[in-house]
Amino acid sequence: VAESALAVSDQQGSSCLGRPSENEQRRSCGRVRDAGCGGTVVARGSRMAPVKVVRPRVSYADLERAPEDGRRYEIYDGEVFVVPAPLPRHQVSQQLVLEVLRGYAAQHGGFVVTSPIDIVFSDYDVLQPDVVFFRRERQHLIDLDSPIRDVPDLCVEVLSPSTAAADRGRKM
């Protein structure tokens, strides 16, 4: 099998070039393997159509089966992201919001809790908002021994410089 260079472009349109390993070489039947950069893989000089690399989606069930490693994870459309530990300023802001909502819940009823807690919006969308609140009329939806699978009445996300883009983007 002759060795050929692969051009791989990721979702941002950038590309990386490399020499394929034995496992990545273009085979006589026209198959091309991922060169490690993700995205679309095309063999140079080939007449075949580009092949879109498909990564398997990760579900909440997959995350539950993973060994505990002390990290916090969120899943956006089947893609897993590590959530960094918050800074003290973030924690102080989160606690202030929690205190306000606890006062409201004490007067009017309801359920309020802070992260880390998984909110399972779908099998492939699992987030950990900083604070979640359920009104009295809906607090019966919470099972203290199970993940939350109902949309909270209020989700609060405290913005931090390191996570603001994600919090305003894919998390919304």
Side-chain angles (χ1 to χ4, degrees):
V1 177
E3 195 173 298
S4 63
L6 295 177
V8 181
S9 64
D10 62 18
Q11 290 80 1
Q12 287 78 33
S14 61
S15 64
C16 56
L17 298 175
R19 302 300 256 171
S21 69
E22 250 180 52
N23 291 334
E24 296 165 341
Q25 290 178 355
R26 183 170 173 265
R27 308 253 186 250
S28 59
C29 64
R31 290 180 297 183
V32 178
R33 299 204 189 275
D34 182 5
C37 299
T40 305
V41 179
V42 180
R44 284 214 178 121
S46 169
R47 292 185 190 163
M48 63 186 241
V51 177
K52 179 72 178 169
V53 175
V54 178
R55 302 205 190 289
R57 292 172 70 189
V58 176
S59 70
Y60 185 63
D62 297 328
L63 192 60
E64 286 182 305
R65 285 190 298 271
E68 182 59 47
D69 64 358
R71 295 182 184 171
R72 292 175 35 205
Y73 295 96
E74 292 184 332
I75 303 174
Y76 300 94
D77 194 27
E79 191 173 353
V80 177
F81 292 87
V82 174
V83 179
L87 298 174
R89 180 183 304 276
H90 180 280
Q91 293 294 82
V92 168
S93 298
Q94 180 179 341
Q95 292 302 314
L96 290 173
V97 171
L98 176 63
E99 288 173 20
V100 169
L101 288 173
R102 274 193 178 150
Y104 181 88
Q107 288 183 346
H108 304 284
F111 175 82
V112 63
V113 67
T114 62
S115 192
I117 189 162
D118 291 332
I119 308 296
V120 184
F121 290 101
S122 75
D123 287 340
Y124 300 102
D125 292 292
V126 181
L127 307 180
Q128 291 194 4
D130 291 320
V131 182
V132 296
F133 176 78
F134 284 82
R135 292 176 294 126
R136 180 186 75 240
E137 299 84 10
R138 296 184 69 239
Q139 76 183 48
H140 70 277
L141 299 172
I142 304 300
D143 176 352
L144 296 178
D145 297 316
S146 299
I148 297 174
R149 293 185 177 271
D150 292 285
V151 177
D153 292 302
L154 176 67
C155 289
V156 176
E157 193 61 45
V158 177
L159 296 180
S160 296
S162 63
T163 60
D167 292 343
R168 286 187 172 129
R170 67 178 175 251
K171 200 165 190 174
M172 300 295 273

